[in-house]
């Protein structure tokens, strides 16, 4: 944490003529005493931090000092911001650029901070794919990633669910890695659509660049589209009666937003402490598998066919464990 704070302090002083101890303490979220110690540590490490005393005093860098974070190529700088995602960089073909960027940054840091990248890597790691799945790297991902970085149009053939293929000219706006699956968000015609990278059968990167809409926000778009997709799957409803324990566990076994909304709109518990909830679900089959994990903490009231299936399962379990 201190290494990152020292770097930030240098960058703050580099961007302004001077800053008071109180201003630095506020920006760095530390005490003024810590600012004094950090300034001394930087000075001892060769960074020319000077403290002016008095009411108008403050901290500044002497002689137009600038950090040595220079010489990064564009792809190296972009890759640096993804350096916490080593598997993603490797799959997009950017691991060499990221490695070069890390070496240049390390060489520019003061000696006491040069092990910061190793220190962070020993403590934090993101493993994006879900459990029980062997992640498959789409063969065409590097080509798509190249087009995304360079804002180049692509001509792509895409295999849809029913095995037929379509050809599209796309303006690739962004890549998303969700639970080990890569998706492309791209303008196609007059709308932004989402494509699974592993369903592309051919991709040709055009030399023609497109003009990116600067108002497009990839995280916000993905969050909204993911929420729409989740809601679109919930095509039917089941009515259940839940115990107090069942109420607590329900959001962990079904779609959480759907469970939260259903519980928020449910009536108060009855005299036995049970709550009746109308729950949106993907299908009766999916609901059966999800709600079965709640065991005796849930009673299915409707639809009748699902209730009968639970009753039959309960009979079989009773016979099995009698």
């Amino acid at each position: 944490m201190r290494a990152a704070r020292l770097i930030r302090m240098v960058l703050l002083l580099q961007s302004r003529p001077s800053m008071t101890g109180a201003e630095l303490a506020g920006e760095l979220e530390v005490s003024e005493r810590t600012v004094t110690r950090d300034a001394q540590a930087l000075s001892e490490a060769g960074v020319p931090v000077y403290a002016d005393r008095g009411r108008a005093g403050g901290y500044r860098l002497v002689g137009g000092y600038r950090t040595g974070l220079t010489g990064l190529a564009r792809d190296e700088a972009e890759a640096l911001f993804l350096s916490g995602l080593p598997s993603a960089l490797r799959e997009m073909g950017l691991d060499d650029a990221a490695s070069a960027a890390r070496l240049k940054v390390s060489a520019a840091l003061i000696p006491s901070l040069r092990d910061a990248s190793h220190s962070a890597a020993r403590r934090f790691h993101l493993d994006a794919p879900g459990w029980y799945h062997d992640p498959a790297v789409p063969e065409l991902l590097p080509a798509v990633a190249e087009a995304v970085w360079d804002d180049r149009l692509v001509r792509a053939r895409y295999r849809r669910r029913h095995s037929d293929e379509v050809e599209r000219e796309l303006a690739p706006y962004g890549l998303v890695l969700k639970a080990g699956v890569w998706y492309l968000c791209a303008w196609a015609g007059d709308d932004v659509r989402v494509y699974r990278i592993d369903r592309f059968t051919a991709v040709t990167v055009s030399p023609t660049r497109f003009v990116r809409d600067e108002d497009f926000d990839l995280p916000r778009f993905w969050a909204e589209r993911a929420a729409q997709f989740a809601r679109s799957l919930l095509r039917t409803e089941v009515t259940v009666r839940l115990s107090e324990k069942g109420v607590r566990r329900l959001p962990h076994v079904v779609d959480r937003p759907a469970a939260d909304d259903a519980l928020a709109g449910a009536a108060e518990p009855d005299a036995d402490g049970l709550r009746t909830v109308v729950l949106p679900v993907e299908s009766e089959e999916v609901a059966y598998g999800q709600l079965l994990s709640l065991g005796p903490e849930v009673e299915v009231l409707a639809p009748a066919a699902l209730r009968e299936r639970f009753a039959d399962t309960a009979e079989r379990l009773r016979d099995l464990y009698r």
Side-chain angles (χ1 to χ4, degrees):
M1 293 293 291
R2 191 189 189 200
R5 190 175 70 242
L6 291 173
I7 293 174
R8 190 175 175 202
M9 183 174 180
V10 173
L11 294 176
L12 285 169
L13 293 174
Q14 186 172 290
S15 64
R16 306 179 194 181
S18 69
M19 294 182 70
T20 66
E23 289 172 337
L24 282 169
E27 290 280 356
L28 300 173
E29 298 180 349
V30 296
S31 68
E32 290 189 48
R33 181 174 295 180
T34 298
V35 168
T36 300
R37 288 198 299 263
D38 286 352
Q40 183 178 353
L42 287 171
S43 180
E44 291 173 353
V47 178
V49 178
Y50 182 78
D52 290 315
R53 301 187 181 279
R55 294 184 58 185
Y59 294 89
R60 60 186 175 87
L61 294 175
V62 178
Y65 176 85
R66 308 289 294 180
T67 61
L69 297 177
T70 57
L72 289 179
R74 181 176 180 83
D75 62 338
E76 294 170 350
E78 291 167 336
L80 186 61
F81 286 98
L82 292 171
S83 58
L85 304 170
S87 60
L89 284 166
R90 190 165 50 249
E91 292 173 10
M92 288 189 292
L94 293 171
D95 49 341
D96 289 342
S99 177
R102 286 192 294 269
L103 286 173
K104 290 181 179 181
V105 171
S106 295
L109 293 176
I110 59 178
S112 62
L113 303 182
R114 286 177 185 169
D115 67 339
S117 63
H118 300 291
S119 176
R122 286 196 298 267
R123 289 167 173 80
F124 301 101
H125 175 67
L126 176 63
D127 185 10
W131 291 103
Y132 313 120
H133 296 283
D134 293 328
V137 181
E139 182 180 349
L140 297 174
L141 176 60
V144 175
E146 176 190 351
V148 170
W149 285 123
D150 291 342
D151 292 343
R152 295 187 184 273
L153 296 171
V154 299
R155 173 68 62 176
R157 286 206 309 271
Y158 187 75
R159 184 181 67 255
R160 297 194 290 198
R161 286 186 177 181
H162 303 295
S163 299
D164 59 322
E165 289 190 1
V166 295
E167 187 167 310
R168 295 280 189 270
E169 184 175 70
L170 306 173
Y173 264 53
L175 289 167
V176 176
L177 177 60
K178 170 71 171 180
V181 179
W182 284 94
Y183 296 88
L184 173 68
C185 302
W187 277 97
D190 58 356
D191 192 20
V192 180
R193 301 180 185 179
V194 177
Y195 300 87
R196 281 184 60 140
I197 302 294
D198 58 6
R199 289 185 183 166
F200 284 120
T201 59
V203 171
T204 302
V205 180
S206 169
T208 304
R209 284 189 166 88
F210 62 89
V211 178
R212 178 177 288 268
D213 180 359
E214 296 301 329
D215 292 331
F216 179 78
D217 186 320
L218 179 61
R220 183 175 61 191
F221 168 81
W222 180 260
E224 292 173 352
R225 187 58 60 91
Q228 291 173 8
F229 176 72
R231 287 193 297 268
S232 72
L233 295 177
L234 307 178
R235 300 187 181 96
T236 189
E237 292 181 340
V238 299
T239 304
V240 298
R241 186 182 290 126
L242 296 161
S243 68
E244 183 179 346
K245 185 176 181 180
V247 168
R248 293 197 304 268
R249 290 180 54 194
L250 184 67
H252 301 286
V253 301
V254 300
D255 180 77
R256 190 180 190 96
D260 290 342
D261 290 344
L263 290 170
E268 293 299 313
D270 62 19
D272 296 321
L274 303 177
R275 297 187 69 178
T276 299
V277 174
V278 179
L279 180 69
V281 294
E282 186 174 342
S283 66
E284 290 186 26
E285 181 66 29
V286 171
Y288 172 78
Q290 292 173 330
L291 297 175
L292 192 62
S293 66
L294 295 180
E297 309 304 328
V298 62
E299 177 190 359
V300 176
L301 303 179
L306 184 60
R307 179 178 174 84
E308 291 174 5
R309 186 173 181 185
F310 268 81
D312 178 65
T313 299
E315 290 281 352
R316 291 164 56 196
L317 285 171
R318 186 188 64 180
D319 292 342
L320 182 64
Y321 286 100
R322 177 174 294 172

